[in-house]
Amino acid sequence: MKLSAGERLFGWMVLPGFVLLLMPLVLFDMYWGHGLWGDFAPVWPGGVYAFAGTVGFLVPLVFLAWVAPLTRMNWKKSKARSLAWAAASLPGLTAGYLVVGVIETAVRPKRRRNWDGDCFSEGGPCWVHVHYPWLWVVGLVATLASAALLITLLVKLSRRAAPATPPSTSEPEAVPTPRSPTGTAGRRPAA
């Protein structure tokens, strides 16, 4: 079985593409994670819990900013316009990476043997969960509230944008009823 040039190119691009997608998250954790939760979040208006609520509230919004332009793509109709919509989704993807990076820096390793000294240093994930044990609840509630609000707004906008059904110009034929003496269901007989 001989592969085409496009299939080979796709095969060679899978691993580098995967690494390219994961690298920002790794770098975010390595360079900004401790400073984010140890220095920045405590001085956020309302403190660390308000910061977690803000991040949780942003999750559905950045997802919508990423996905909404992609739903407008139609490759059969116009390739140039589809590429423009794909490019319009990139800011949402970037914002999504930032939000996921902020969340990922507060995730504690599952196994205790992976809890090294860095995990308990100020701003580390273990430190954050010791000092703010309900952080995940605040983030989850904010995410659910934001999603519910967004869904409600989208439903209201779709109802407003939907065209009203025009009145029917033809009436269905009436079926004769036992009460109509002529069997015309209340209509006048033809002259």
Side-chain angles (χ1 to χ4, degrees):
M1 179 168 121
K2 186 161 176 135
L3 297 175
S4 69
E7 291 171 337
R8 282 184 288 194
L9 178 65
F10 178 75
W12 281 100
M13 294 305 294
V14 169
L15 185 60
F18 186 70
V19 169
L20 185 68
L21 289 174
L22 287 181
M23 263 337 257
L25 298 177
V26 172
L27 294 175
F28 198 89
D29 186 30
M30 284 173 49
Y31 292 109
W32 299 298
H34 292 298
L36 182 71
W37 289 103
D39 299 331
F40 185 73
V43 297
W44 185 263
V48 175
Y49 286 118
F51 181 71
T54 304
V55 172
F57 192 80
L58 288 174
V59 169
L61 297 176
V62 298
F63 182 75
L64 180 69
W66 174 49
V67 171
L70 295 177
T71 62
R72 303 287 308 239
M73 292 173 43
N74 186 351
W75 289 102
K76 291 180 182 178
K77 190 173 182 182
S78 171
K79 291 184 183 193
R81 187 170 286 187
S82 295
L83 281 174
W85 283 115
S89 74
L90 293 178
L93 180 64
T94 304
Y97 266 110
L98 290 174
V99 169
V100 169
V102 169
I103 293 169
E104 188 255 339
T105 57
V107 174
R108 192 173 23 185
K110 289 185 179 183
R111 295 183 181 89
R112 284 188 181 265
R113 68 174 179 249
N114 294 337
W115 293 8
D116 56 3
D118 195 36
C119 188
F120 282 102
S121 64
E122 185 174 347
C126 298
W127 179 87
V128 169
H129 286 281
V130 166
H131 289 282
Y132 307 102
W134 300 106
L135 192 70
W136 66 274
V137 173
V138 173
L140 181 64
V141 168
T143 300
L144 295 175
S146 175
L149 180 66
L150 198 57
I151 290 169
T152 303
L153 287 172
L154 290 174
V155 166
K156 285 187 178 188
L157 286 174
S158 69
R159 285 184 182 163
R160 188 182 306 170
T165 55
S168 176
T169 56
S170 64
E171 295 181 21
E173 283 194 35
V175 178
T177 63
R179 292 188 180 197
S180 63
T182 59
T184 58
R187 292 177 290 154
R188 290 187 162 191

